[in-house]
Amino acid sequence: MIDIMRDGRIVVHYADQKGCLAIFSCNERQLCHCQLGDPALAMTISKDDWHIITGGFNCRVKVFSAHNLTLEHTYEPFESSIRSLHISEDQRFIFAGLASGSIAVLATHMWLH
């Protein structure tokens, strides 16, 4: 998966067995990277470009800092894997589409400053 931040940084998820998240500059220089422990199936970037949100087979939504990819928050697991993610325009909620067909709505007040 690839997503681009408004400032030109490129966020890439490598789908190997453990999953790797990396941020590159617009001139292909790797700025930081981290191992996720499991591959992500969905990824989105907050509207202010401060956070990267991932979800996948482990049924958890994880929030990483877009500055250095430190894990800032992990939500409780769902009953099935996360297939899609979206953050609301006002950044108050995360919408997670699950493999079971359900949609979960998560509040961001626990980690959003």
Side-chain angles (χ1 to χ4, degrees):
M1 288 179 281
I2 298 175
D3 208 345
I4 300 174
M5 296 182 181
R6 287 182 294 192
D7 63 3
R9 290 180 292 165
I10 301 163
V11 180
V12 178
H13 172 263
Y14 298 98
D16 61 5
Q17 290 182 348
K18 293 185 179 179
C20 182
L21 198 58
I23 299 177
F24 294 89
S25 68
C26 58
N27 61 359
E28 302 176 9
R29 186 171 59 101
Q30 184 174 343
L31 302 174
C32 57
H33 75 281
C34 72
Q35 292 289 330
L36 296 178
D38 62 329
L41 297 173
M43 177 178 68
T44 191
I45 300 170
S46 64
K47 304 300 180 197
D48 59 5
D49 285 349
W50 283 62
H51 299 94
I52 300 165
I53 303 152
T54 66
F57 288 119
N58 68 354
C59 306
R60 293 179 184 264
V61 173
K62 295 179 181 180
V63 180
F64 295 89
S65 166
H67 174 68
N68 57 9
L69 292 179
T70 56
L71 182 63
E72 292 195 0
H73 188 75
T74 301
Y75 288 91
E76 292 296 317
F78 295 104
E79 73 277 359
S80 62
S81 61
I82 293 132
R83 299 303 172 113
S84 63
L85 288 168
H86 179 76
I87 191 163
S88 62
E89 289 295 322
D90 61 4
Q91 298 191 105
R92 292 177 56 202
F93 302 101
I94 297 171
F95 302 94
L98 307 179
S100 64
S102 301
I103 297 175
V105 180
L106 306 166
T108 61
H109 67 274
M110 282 127 4
W111 54 266
L112 190 62
H113 310 290

PDB file of all heavy atoms in Angstrom, residues 42-44 47 53-55 61 75 78 82-98 102-108 111:
ATOM      1  N   ALA A  42      -5.122  -2.474   5.701  1.00  0.00           N
ATOM      2  CA  ALA A  42      -5.670  -1.140   5.454  1.00  0.00           C
ATOM      3  C   ALA A  42      -4.776  -0.106   6.125  1.00  0.00           C
ATOM      4  O   ALA A  42      -4.158  -0.378   7.156  1.00  0.00           O
ATOM      5  CB  ALA A  42      -7.085  -1.051   6.002  1.00  0.00           C
ATOM      6  N   MET A  43      -4.741   1.080   5.513  1.00  0.00           N
ATOM      7  CA  MET A  43      -3.916   2.156   6.045  1.00  0.00           C
ATOM      8  C   MET A  43      -4.536   3.477   5.639  1.00  0.00           C
ATOM      9  O   MET A  43      -5.058   3.610   4.528  1.00  0.00           O
ATOM     10  CB  MET A  43      -2.500   2.040   5.481  1.00  0.00           C
ATOM     11  CG  MET A  43      -1.558   3.128   5.904  1.00  0.00           C
ATOM     12  SD  MET A  43       0.123   2.903   5.260  1.00  0.00           S
ATOM     13  CE  MET A  43      -0.106   3.159   3.505  1.00  0.00           C
ATOM     14  N   THR A  44      -4.491   4.453   6.527  1.00  0.00           N
ATOM     15  CA  THR A  44      -4.926   5.807   6.197  1.00  0.00           C
ATOM     16  C   THR A  44      -4.063   6.796   6.968  1.00  0.00           C
ATOM     17  O   THR A  44      -3.423   6.431   7.960  1.00  0.00           O
ATOM     18  CB  THR A  44      -6.430   6.020   6.492  1.00  0.00           C
ATOM     19  OG1 THR A  44      -6.857   7.253   5.936  1.00  0.00           O
ATOM     20  CG2 THR A  44      -6.718   5.985   7.980  1.00  0.00           C
ATOM     21  N   LYS A  47      -5.828  13.732   8.659  1.00  0.00           N
ATOM     22  CA  LYS A  47      -5.944  14.921   7.802  1.00  0.00           C
ATOM     23  C   LYS A  47      -4.841  15.938   8.060  1.00  0.00           C
ATOM     24  O   LYS A  47      -4.490  16.707   7.178  1.00  0.00           O
ATOM     25  CB  LYS A  47      -7.308  15.579   8.006  1.00  0.00           C
ATOM     26  CG  LYS A  47      -8.475  14.658   7.771  1.00  0.00           C
ATOM     27  CD  LYS A  47      -8.506  14.114   6.372  1.00  0.00           C
ATOM     28  CE  LYS A  47      -9.708  13.196   6.223  1.00  0.00           C
ATOM     29  NZ  LYS A  47      -9.621  12.335   5.083  1.00  0.00           N
ATOM     30  N   ILE A  53      -2.624   5.423  10.461  1.00  0.00           N
ATOM     31  CA  ILE A  53      -3.509   4.456  11.104  1.00  0.00           C
ATOM     32  C   ILE A  53      -3.521   3.190  10.257  1.00  0.00           C
ATOM     33  O   ILE A  53      -3.724   3.257   9.038  1.00  0.00           O
ATOM     34  CB  ILE A  53      -4.920   5.037  11.249  1.00  0.00           C
ATOM     35  CG1 ILE A  53      -4.842   6.349  12.041  1.00  0.00           C
ATOM     36  CG2 ILE A  53      -5.860   4.053  11.921  1.00  0.00           C
ATOM     37  CD1 ILE A  53      -5.912   7.324  11.730  1.00  0.00           C
ATOM     38  N   THR A  54      -3.287   2.038  10.893  1.00  0.00           N
ATOM     39  CA  THR A  54      -3.253   0.765  10.171  1.00  0.00           C
ATOM     40  C   THR A  54      -4.187  -0.245  10.838  1.00  0.00           C
ATOM     41  O   THR A  54      -4.544  -0.115  12.002  1.00  0.00           O
ATOM     42  CB  THR A  54      -1.833   0.160  10.134  1.00  0.00           C
ATOM     43  OG1 THR A  54      -1.434  -0.194  11.459  1.00  0.00           O
ATOM     44  CG2 THR A  54      -0.829   1.103   9.511  1.00  0.00           C
ATOM     45  N   GLY A  55      -4.535  -1.255  10.087  1.00  0.00           N
ATOM     46  CA  GLY A  55      -5.331  -2.366  10.602  1.00  0.00           C
ATOM     47  C   GLY A  55      -5.135  -3.567   9.708  1.00  0.00           C
ATOM     48  O   GLY A  55      -4.770  -3.430   8.538  1.00  0.00           O
ATOM     49  N   VAL A  61      -6.779  -1.916  15.346  1.00  0.00           N
ATOM     50  CA  VAL A  61      -6.419  -0.655  14.708  1.00  0.00           C
ATOM     51  C   VAL A  61      -5.270  -0.066  15.516  1.00  0.00           C
ATOM     52  O   VAL A  61      -5.348   0.031  16.740  1.00  0.00           O
ATOM     53  CB  VAL A  61      -7.618   0.312  14.671  1.00  0.00           C
ATOM     54  CG1 VAL A  61      -7.190   1.676  14.161  1.00  0.00           C
ATOM     55  CG2 VAL A  61      -8.731  -0.251  13.800  1.00  0.00           C
ATOM     56  N   TYR A  75      -6.088   0.061  19.593  1.00  0.00           N
ATOM     57  CA  TYR A  75      -7.474  -0.170  20.021  1.00  0.00           C
ATOM     58  C   TYR A  75      -7.686  -1.647  20.344  1.00  0.00           C
ATOM     59  O   TYR A  75      -6.933  -2.511  19.901  1.00  0.00           O
ATOM     60  CB  TYR A  75      -8.444   0.258  18.920  1.00  0.00           C
ATOM     61  CG  TYR A  75      -8.526   1.761  18.749  1.00  0.00           C
ATOM     62  CD1 TYR A  75      -7.698   2.428  17.864  1.00  0.00           C
ATOM     63  CD2 TYR A  75      -9.438   2.509  19.480  1.00  0.00           C
ATOM     64  CE1 TYR A  75      -7.774   3.805  17.707  1.00  0.00           C
ATOM     65  CE2 TYR A  75      -9.531   3.883  19.324  1.00  0.00           C
ATOM     66  CZ  TYR A  75      -8.693   4.519  18.441  1.00  0.00           C
ATOM     67  OH  TYR A  75      -8.769   5.885  18.281  1.00  0.00           O
ATOM     68  N   PHE A  78     -11.112  -6.476  17.302  1.00  0.00           N
ATOM     69  CA  PHE A  78     -12.462  -6.764  16.828  1.00  0.00           C
ATOM     70  C   PHE A  78     -12.610  -8.259  16.588  1.00  0.00           C
ATOM     71  O   PHE A  78     -11.649  -9.018  16.706  1.00  0.00           O
ATOM     72  CB  PHE A  78     -12.748  -5.997  15.527  1.00  0.00           C
ATOM     73  CG  PHE A  78     -12.770  -4.517  15.721  1.00  0.00           C
ATOM     74  CD1 PHE A  78     -11.702  -3.738  15.307  1.00  0.00           C
ATOM     75  CD2 PHE A  78     -13.844  -3.901  16.336  1.00  0.00           C
ATOM     76  CE1 PHE A  78     -11.718  -2.368  15.487  1.00  0.00           C
ATOM     77  CE2 PHE A  78     -13.866  -2.529  16.527  1.00  0.00           C
ATOM     78  CZ  PHE A  78     -12.802  -1.760  16.098  1.00  0.00           C
ATOM     79  N   ILE A  82      -9.489  -6.246   9.853  1.00  0.00           N
ATOM     80  CA  ILE A  82      -9.836  -4.921   9.350  1.00  0.00           C
ATOM     81  C   ILE A  82      -9.451  -4.859   7.882  1.00  0.00           C
ATOM     82  O   ILE A  82      -8.313  -5.119   7.519  1.00  0.00           O
ATOM     83  CB  ILE A  82      -9.120  -3.833  10.173  1.00  0.00           C
ATOM     84  CG1 ILE A  82      -9.674  -3.842  11.593  1.00  0.00           C
ATOM     85  CG2 ILE A  82      -9.312  -2.467   9.556  1.00  0.00           C
ATOM     86  CD1 ILE A  82      -8.652  -3.845  12.637  1.00  0.00           C
ATOM     87  N   ARG A  83     -10.417  -4.495   7.040  1.00  0.00           N
ATOM     88  CA  ARG A  83     -10.180  -4.452   5.596  1.00  0.00           C
ATOM     89  C   ARG A  83     -10.111  -3.045   5.029  1.00  0.00           C
ATOM     90  O   ARG A  83      -9.561  -2.835   3.959  1.00  0.00           O
ATOM     91  CB  ARG A  83     -11.284  -5.238   4.866  1.00  0.00           C
ATOM     92  CG  ARG A  83     -11.334  -6.712   5.254  1.00  0.00           C
ATOM     93  CD  ARG A  83      -9.993  -7.356   4.978  1.00  0.00           C
ATOM     94  NE  ARG A  83      -9.909  -8.701   5.477  1.00  0.00           N
ATOM     95  CZ  ARG A  83      -9.810  -9.773   4.720  1.00  0.00           C
ATOM     96  NH1 ARG A  83      -9.767  -9.657   3.426  1.00  0.00           N
ATOM     97  NH2 ARG A  83      -9.726 -10.954   5.280  1.00  0.00           N
ATOM     98  N   SER A  84     -10.685  -2.065   5.727  1.00  0.00           N
ATOM     99  CA  SER A  84     -10.624  -0.685   5.242  1.00  0.00           C
ATOM    100  C   SER A  84     -10.662   0.276   6.418  1.00  0.00           C
ATOM    101  O   SER A  84     -11.225  -0.037   7.467  1.00  0.00           O
ATOM    102  CB  SER A  84     -11.774  -0.385   4.275  1.00  0.00           C
ATOM    103  OG  SER A  84     -13.021  -0.495   4.941  1.00  0.00           O
ATOM    104  N   LEU A  85     -10.048   1.445   6.245  1.00  0.00           N
ATOM    105  CA  LEU A  85      -9.991   2.469   7.280  1.00  0.00           C
ATOM    106  C   LEU A  85     -10.227   3.839   6.665  1.00  0.00           C
ATOM    107  O   LEU A  85      -9.793   4.106   5.540  1.00  0.00           O
ATOM    108  CB  LEU A  85      -8.624   2.478   7.970  1.00  0.00           C
ATOM    109  CG  LEU A  85      -8.307   1.324   8.891  1.00  0.00           C
ATOM    110  CD1 LEU A  85      -6.827   1.341   9.252  1.00  0.00           C
ATOM    111  CD2 LEU A  85      -9.154   1.398  10.146  1.00  0.00           C
ATOM    112  N   HIS A  86     -10.899   4.682   7.423  1.00  0.00           N
ATOM    113  CA  HIS A  86     -11.112   6.071   7.006  1.00  0.00           C
ATOM    114  C   HIS A  86     -11.197   6.917   8.262  1.00  0.00           C
ATOM    115  O   HIS A  86     -11.744   6.488   9.273  1.00  0.00           O
ATOM    116  CB  HIS A  86     -12.406   6.199   6.194  1.00  0.00           C
ATOM    117  CG  HIS A  86     -12.692   7.602   5.760  1.00  0.00           C
ATOM    118  ND1 HIS A  86     -12.016   8.190   4.725  1.00  0.00           N
ATOM    119  CD2 HIS A  86     -13.554   8.521   6.232  1.00  0.00           C
ATOM    120  CE1 HIS A  86     -12.471   9.430   4.577  1.00  0.00           C
ATOM    121  NE2 HIS A  86     -13.395   9.652   5.479  1.00  0.00           N
ATOM    122  N   ILE A  87     -10.658   8.123   8.220  1.00  0.00           N
ATOM    123  CA  ILE A  87     -10.777   9.052   9.343  1.00  0.00           C
ATOM    124  C   ILE A  87     -11.677  10.200   8.918  1.00  0.00           C
ATOM    125  O   ILE A  87     -11.610  10.655   7.767  1.00  0.00           O
ATOM    126  CB  ILE A  87      -9.391   9.539   9.832  1.00  0.00           C
ATOM    127  CG1 ILE A  87      -9.520  10.283  11.151  1.00  0.00           C
ATOM    128  CG2 ILE A  87      -8.685  10.351   8.780  1.00  0.00           C
ATOM    129  CD1 ILE A  87      -8.228  10.453  11.904  1.00  0.00           C
ATOM    130  N   SER A  88     -12.564  10.634   9.811  1.00  0.00           N
ATOM    131  CA  SER A  88     -13.521  11.694   9.474  1.00  0.00           C
ATOM    132  C   SER A  88     -12.784  13.012   9.223  1.00  0.00           C
ATOM    133  O   SER A  88     -11.649  13.208   9.658  1.00  0.00           O
ATOM    134  CB  SER A  88     -14.552  11.854  10.592  1.00  0.00           C
ATOM    135  OG  SER A  88     -13.927  12.235  11.792  1.00  0.00           O
ATOM    136  N   GLU A  89     -13.463  13.927   8.536  1.00  0.00           N
ATOM    137  CA  GLU A  89     -12.856  15.210   8.185  1.00  0.00           C
ATOM    138  C   GLU A  89     -12.439  15.997   9.427  1.00  0.00           C
ATOM    139  O   GLU A  89     -11.419  16.667   9.422  1.00  0.00           O
ATOM    140  CB  GLU A  89     -13.818  16.048   7.341  1.00  0.00           C
ATOM    141  CG  GLU A  89     -14.001  15.523   5.935  1.00  0.00           C
ATOM    142  CD  GLU A  89     -12.727  15.601   5.107  1.00  0.00           C
ATOM    143  OE1 GLU A  89     -11.965  16.583   5.226  1.00  0.00           O
ATOM    144  OE2 GLU A  89     -12.480  14.662   4.338  1.00  0.00           O
ATOM    145  N   ASP A  90     -13.218  15.909  10.499  1.00  0.00           N
ATOM    146  CA  ASP A  90     -12.878  16.622  11.726  1.00  0.00           C
ATOM    147  C   ASP A  90     -11.935  15.826  12.631  1.00  0.00           C
ATOM    148  O   ASP A  90     -11.586  16.273  13.716  1.00  0.00           O
ATOM    149  CB  ASP A  90     -14.129  17.030  12.491  1.00  0.00           C
ATOM    150  CG  ASP A  90     -14.978  15.841  12.915  1.00  0.00           C
ATOM    151  OD1 ASP A  90     -14.563  14.681  12.683  1.00  0.00           O
ATOM    152  OD2 ASP A  90     -16.060  16.077  13.472  1.00  0.00           O
ATOM    153  N   GLN A  91     -11.532  14.636  12.196  1.00  0.00           N
ATOM    154  CA  GLN A  91     -10.585  13.752  12.878  1.00  0.00           C
ATOM    155  C   GLN A  91     -11.077  13.272  14.241  1.00  0.00           C
ATOM    156  O   GLN A  91     -10.291  12.880  15.083  1.00  0.00           O
ATOM    157  CB  GLN A  91      -9.207  14.412  13.038  1.00  0.00           C
ATOM    158  CG  GLN A  91      -8.560  14.746  11.730  1.00  0.00           C
ATOM    159  CD  GLN A  91      -7.126  15.129  11.897  1.00  0.00           C
ATOM    160  OE1 GLN A  91      -6.259  14.338  11.580  1.00  0.00           O
ATOM    161  NE2 GLN A  91      -6.858  16.326  12.376  1.00  0.00           N
ATOM    162  N   ARG A  92     -12.380  13.266  14.446  1.00  0.00           N
ATOM    163  CA  ARG A  92     -12.925  12.810  15.727  1.00  0.00           C
ATOM    164  C   ARG A  92     -13.210  11.320  15.730  1.00  0.00           C
ATOM    165  O   ARG A  92     -13.324  10.727  16.797  1.00  0.00           O
ATOM    166  CB  ARG A  92     -14.193  13.590  16.049  1.00  0.00           C
ATOM    167  CG  ARG A  92     -13.901  15.055  16.339  1.00  0.00           C
ATOM    168  CD  ARG A  92     -15.137  15.856  16.598  1.00  0.00           C
ATOM    169  NE  ARG A  92     -15.899  15.281  17.687  1.00  0.00           N
ATOM    170  CZ  ARG A  92     -17.199  15.500  17.867  1.00  0.00           C
ATOM    171  NH1 ARG A  92     -17.855  16.283  17.038  1.00  0.00           N
ATOM    172  NH2 ARG A  92     -17.828  14.956  18.883  1.00  0.00           N
ATOM    173  N   PHE A  93     -13.340  10.717  14.538  1.00  0.00           N
ATOM    174  CA  PHE A  93     -13.702   9.305  14.452  1.00  0.00           C
ATOM    175  C   PHE A  93     -12.909   8.581  13.370  1.00  0.00           C
ATOM    176  O   PHE A  93     -12.561   9.160  12.347  1.00  0.00           O
ATOM    177  CB  PHE A  93     -15.199   9.151  14.138  1.00  0.00           C
ATOM    178  CG  PHE A  93     -16.086   9.799  15.151  1.00  0.00           C
ATOM    179  CD1 PHE A  93     -16.665  11.028  14.894  1.00  0.00           C
ATOM    180  CD2 PHE A  93     -16.327   9.193  16.368  1.00  0.00           C
ATOM    181  CE1 PHE A  93     -17.478  11.635  15.824  1.00  0.00           C
ATOM    182  CE2 PHE A  93     -17.138   9.793  17.313  1.00  0.00           C
ATOM    183  CZ  PHE A  93     -17.715  11.026  17.037  1.00  0.00           C
ATOM    184  N   ILE A  94     -12.644   7.296  13.639  1.00  0.00           N
ATOM    185  CA  ILE A  94     -12.070   6.398  12.644  1.00  0.00           C
ATOM    186  C   ILE A  94     -13.147   5.384  12.301  1.00  0.00           C
ATOM    187  O   ILE A  94     -13.778   4.812  13.196  1.00  0.00           O
ATOM    188  CB  ILE A  94     -10.831   5.658  13.191  1.00  0.00           C
ATOM    189  CG1 ILE A  94      -9.724   6.648  13.527  1.00  0.00           C
ATOM    190  CG2 ILE A  94     -10.329   4.620  12.183  1.00  0.00           C
ATOM    191  CD1 ILE A  94      -8.572   6.026  14.273  1.00  0.00           C
ATOM    192  N   PHE A  95     -13.355   5.145  11.018  1.00  0.00           N
ATOM    193  CA  PHE A  95     -14.311   4.143  10.555  1.00  0.00           C
ATOM    194  C   PHE A  95     -13.514   2.943  10.054  1.00  0.00           C
ATOM    195  O   PHE A  95     -12.640   3.095   9.207  1.00  0.00           O
ATOM    196  CB  PHE A  95     -15.185   4.704   9.435  1.00  0.00           C
ATOM    197  CG  PHE A  95     -15.936   5.936   9.855  1.00  0.00           C
ATOM    198  CD1 PHE A  95     -15.422   7.200   9.604  1.00  0.00           C
ATOM    199  CD2 PHE A  95     -17.146   5.826  10.524  1.00  0.00           C
ATOM    200  CE1 PHE A  95     -16.102   8.339   9.994  1.00  0.00           C
ATOM    201  CE2 PHE A  95     -17.834   6.959  10.917  1.00  0.00           C
ATOM    202  CZ  PHE A  95     -17.313   8.216  10.662  1.00  0.00           C
ATOM    203  N   ALA A  96     -13.814   1.783  10.594  1.00  0.00           N
ATOM    204  CA  ALA A  96     -13.103   0.561  10.213  1.00  0.00           C
ATOM    205  C   ALA A  96     -14.091  -0.412   9.579  1.00  0.00           C
ATOM    206  O   ALA A  96     -15.091  -0.776  10.202  1.00  0.00           O
ATOM    207  CB  ALA A  96     -12.450  -0.076  11.438  1.00  0.00           C
ATOM    208  N   GLY A  97     -13.816  -0.827   8.361  1.00  0.00           N
ATOM    209  CA  GLY A  97     -14.606  -1.853   7.693  1.00  0.00           C
ATOM    210  C   GLY A  97     -14.013  -3.215   8.006  1.00  0.00           C
ATOM    211  O   GLY A  97     -12.822  -3.446   7.782  1.00  0.00           O
ATOM    212  N   LEU A  98     -14.822  -4.105   8.546  1.00  0.00           N
ATOM    213  CA  LEU A  98     -14.344  -5.416   8.973  1.00  0.00           C
ATOM    214  C   LEU A  98     -14.677  -6.493   7.947  1.00  0.00           C
ATOM    215  O   LEU A  98     -15.619  -6.355   7.170  1.00  0.00           O
ATOM    216  CB  LEU A  98     -14.960  -5.783  10.325  1.00  0.00           C
ATOM    217  CG  LEU A  98     -14.805  -4.742  11.439  1.00  0.00           C
ATOM    218  CD1 LEU A  98     -15.489  -5.218  12.700  1.00  0.00           C
ATOM    219  CD2 LEU A  98     -13.354  -4.431  11.685  1.00  0.00           C
ATOM    220  N   SER A 102     -19.201  -5.824   9.049  1.00  0.00           N
ATOM    221  CA  SER A 102     -19.543  -4.781  10.014  1.00  0.00           C
ATOM    222  C   SER A 102     -18.691  -3.546   9.800  1.00  0.00           C
ATOM    223  O   SER A 102     -17.610  -3.607   9.228  1.00  0.00           O
ATOM    224  CB  SER A 102     -19.314  -5.277  11.442  1.00  0.00           C
ATOM    225  OG  SER A 102     -20.089  -6.411  11.705  1.00  0.00           O
ATOM    226  N   ILE A 103     -19.198  -2.420  10.302  1.00  0.00           N
ATOM    227  CA  ILE A 103     -18.438  -1.174  10.318  1.00  0.00           C
ATOM    228  C   ILE A 103     -18.314  -0.741  11.766  1.00  0.00           C
ATOM    229  O   ILE A 103     -19.303  -0.660  12.490  1.00  0.00           O
ATOM    230  CB  ILE A 103     -19.129  -0.073   9.490  1.00  0.00           C
ATOM    231  CG1 ILE A 103     -19.195  -0.488   8.029  1.00  0.00           C
ATOM    232  CG2 ILE A 103     -18.398   1.251   9.651  1.00  0.00           C
ATOM    233  CD1 ILE A 103     -19.961   0.470   7.152  1.00  0.00           C
ATOM    234  N   ALA A 104     -17.106  -0.479  12.204  1.00  0.00           N
ATOM    235  CA  ALA A 104     -16.846  -0.025  13.573  1.00  0.00           C
ATOM    236  C   ALA A 104     -16.477   1.450  13.540  1.00  0.00           C
ATOM    237  O   ALA A 104     -15.784   1.905  12.632  1.00  0.00           O
ATOM    238  CB  ALA A 104     -15.727  -0.837  14.190  1.00  0.00           C
ATOM    239  N   VAL A 105     -16.950   2.184  14.525  1.00  0.00           N
ATOM    240  CA  VAL A 105     -16.622   3.601  14.659  1.00  0.00           C
ATOM    241  C   VAL A 105     -15.823   3.770  15.947  1.00  0.00           C
ATOM    242  O   VAL A 105     -16.273   3.373  17.017  1.00  0.00           O
ATOM    243  CB  VAL A 105     -17.897   4.476  14.689  1.00  0.00           C
ATOM    244  CG1 VAL A 105     -17.529   5.948  14.829  1.00  0.00           C
ATOM    245  CG2 VAL A 105     -18.748   4.241  13.448  1.00  0.00           C
ATOM    246  N   LEU A 106     -14.630   4.344  15.822  1.00  0.00           N
ATOM    247  CA  LEU A 106     -13.718   4.509  16.950  1.00  0.00           C
ATOM    248  C   LEU A 106     -13.486   5.987  17.215  1.00  0.00           C
ATOM    249  O   LEU A 106     -13.280   6.764  16.282  1.00  0.00           O
ATOM    250  CB  LEU A 106     -12.375   3.836  16.652  1.00  0.00           C
ATOM    251  CG  LEU A 106     -12.439   2.375  16.236  1.00  0.00           C
ATOM    252  CD1 LEU A 106     -11.119   1.934  15.642  1.00  0.00           C
ATOM    253  CD2 LEU A 106     -12.804   1.526  17.432  1.00  0.00           C
ATOM    254  N   ALA A 107     -13.495   6.382  18.478  1.00  0.00           N
ATOM    255  CA  ALA A 107     -13.204   7.775  18.859  1.00  0.00           C
ATOM    256  C   ALA A 107     -11.703   7.983  18.876  1.00  0.00           C
ATOM    257  O   ALA A 107     -10.935   7.091  19.225  1.00  0.00           O
ATOM    258  CB  ALA A 107     -13.809   8.077  20.220  1.00  0.00           C
ATOM    259  N   THR A 108     -11.276   9.188  18.524  1.00  0.00           N
ATOM    260  CA  THR A 108      -9.848   9.499  18.478  1.00  0.00           C
ATOM    261  C   THR A 108      -9.387  10.333  19.656  1.00  0.00           C
ATOM    262  O   THR A 108      -8.210  10.656  19.743  1.00  0.00           O
ATOM    263  CB  THR A 108      -9.497  10.271  17.191  1.00  0.00           C
ATOM    264  OG1 THR A 108     -10.222  11.492  17.183  1.00  0.00           O
ATOM    265  CG2 THR A 108      -9.816   9.455  15.958  1.00  0.00           C
ATOM    266  N   TRP A 111      -5.913   9.633  21.723  1.00  0.00           N
ATOM    267  CA  TRP A 111      -4.564   9.865  21.237  1.00  0.00           C
ATOM    268  C   TRP A 111      -4.393  11.153  20.458  1.00  0.00           C
ATOM    269  O   TRP A 111      -3.285  11.620  20.247  1.00  0.00           O
ATOM    270  CB  TRP A 111      -4.097   8.687  20.380  1.00  0.00           C
ATOM    271  CG  TRP A 111      -5.033   8.352  19.257  1.00  0.00           C
ATOM    272  CD1 TRP A 111      -6.030   7.417  19.281  1.00  0.00           C
ATOM    273  CD2 TRP A 111      -5.071   8.925  17.953  1.00  0.00           C
ATOM    274  NE1 TRP A 111      -6.685   7.401  18.080  1.00  0.00           N
ATOM    275  CE2 TRP A 111      -6.104   8.294  17.235  1.00  0.00           C
ATOM    276  CE3 TRP A 111      -4.312   9.890  17.304  1.00  0.00           C
ATOM    277  CZ2 TRP A 111      -6.433   8.625  15.930  1.00  0.00           C
ATOM    278  CZ3 TRP A 111      -4.628  10.222  15.994  1.00  0.00           C
ATOM    279  CH2 TRP A 111      -5.670   9.581  15.329  1.00  0.00           C
TER     280      TRP A 111
END
